[in-house]
Amino acid sequence: MSKTLLYLHGFRSVGMCDKGREIVSFAPDALTPNLPYVPNLAIALAESLIAQYKAENLCLIGSSLGGYYATFLAHKYKIKSLLINPVINAYETLLPAIGKVFVPYSGESFFWSLDLVESLRQYFVESLDYSLYCVLLQEGDAILDYRVAKRRFCDSKLVISAGGSHRFENLSAQKDVILEWAQVS
């Protein structure tokens, strides 16, 4: 059975960023919503799409902060998820971002506050079901140390590439891994 891909983008991004466009290029029915910058609203939007499309019909793809959200949602709804250079401890990682944040894809900006950072704590998953996750990492990620995600998801399917960046270079080269994991034909 084909599954619909639900792409959850990262901090300072939008649904149809480079990764979103790459995903749609090989999975035209993929959902690529623009997540609100407020974590509770981002989770609520994702949960509304999970309710609408049904968890059993979806595979999550989460990049960076979207990977943090996808980890939580996969755990809560038992949905297979593919994580791309995911944030592991969002409340620690995004603490230095407090202040006005510019979103290059949209030209918009928002204010990232301590309250928003603290709200991320509730989405941390203590005990993972490793079978739900396939994790794509690039060693050249200068924003997040790929080894942290490698340790966290040690018993999940890991695909680690030399070089690259946080943006995840050449995501299309992972098309077969993504579609196989998602069981999308």
Side-chain angles (χ1 to χ4, degrees), residues 1-3 56-58 182-185:
M1 178 176 137
S2 295
K3 298 206 178 200
E56 63 272 13
N57 299 325
L58 293 172
Q183 300 173 351
V184 176
S185 55

Side-chain angles (χ1 to χ4, degrees), residues 60-75:
L60 303 175
I61 299 182
S63 176
S64 191
L65 180 58
Y68 184 78
Y69 293 154
T71 300
F72 169 77
L73 294 164
H75 174 77

Side-chain angles (χ1 to χ4, degrees), residues 160-171:
I160 303 172
S161 307
S165 70
H166 185 64
R167 187 175 161 267
F168 203 93
E169 305 301 322
N170 198 15
L171 181 63

Side-chain angles (χ1 to χ4, degrees), residues 49-118:
L49 291 168
I50 291 167
Q52 180 181 348
Y53 287 87
K54 307 292 182 232
E56 63 272 13
N57 299 325
L58 293 172
C59 177
L60 303 175
I61 299 182
S63 176
S64 191
L65 180 58
Y68 184 78
Y69 293 154
T71 300
F72 169 77
L73 294 164
H75 174 77
K76 182 174 180 179
Y77 294 100
K78 305 299 180 232
I79 301 173
K80 284 179 78 173
S81 296
L82 192 127
L83 311 177
I84 304 168
N85 289 336
V87 167
I88 302 304
N89 294 315
Y91 48 89
E92 292 173 6
T93 302
L94 291 170
L95 188 59
I98 288 176
K100 187 175 180 181
V101 176
F102 179 70
V103 180
Y105 285 100
S106 67
E108 298 173 339
S109 61
F110 60 88
F111 187 79
W112 186 244
S113 68
L114 180 58
D115 288 345
L116 294 175
V117 173
E118 288 294 325

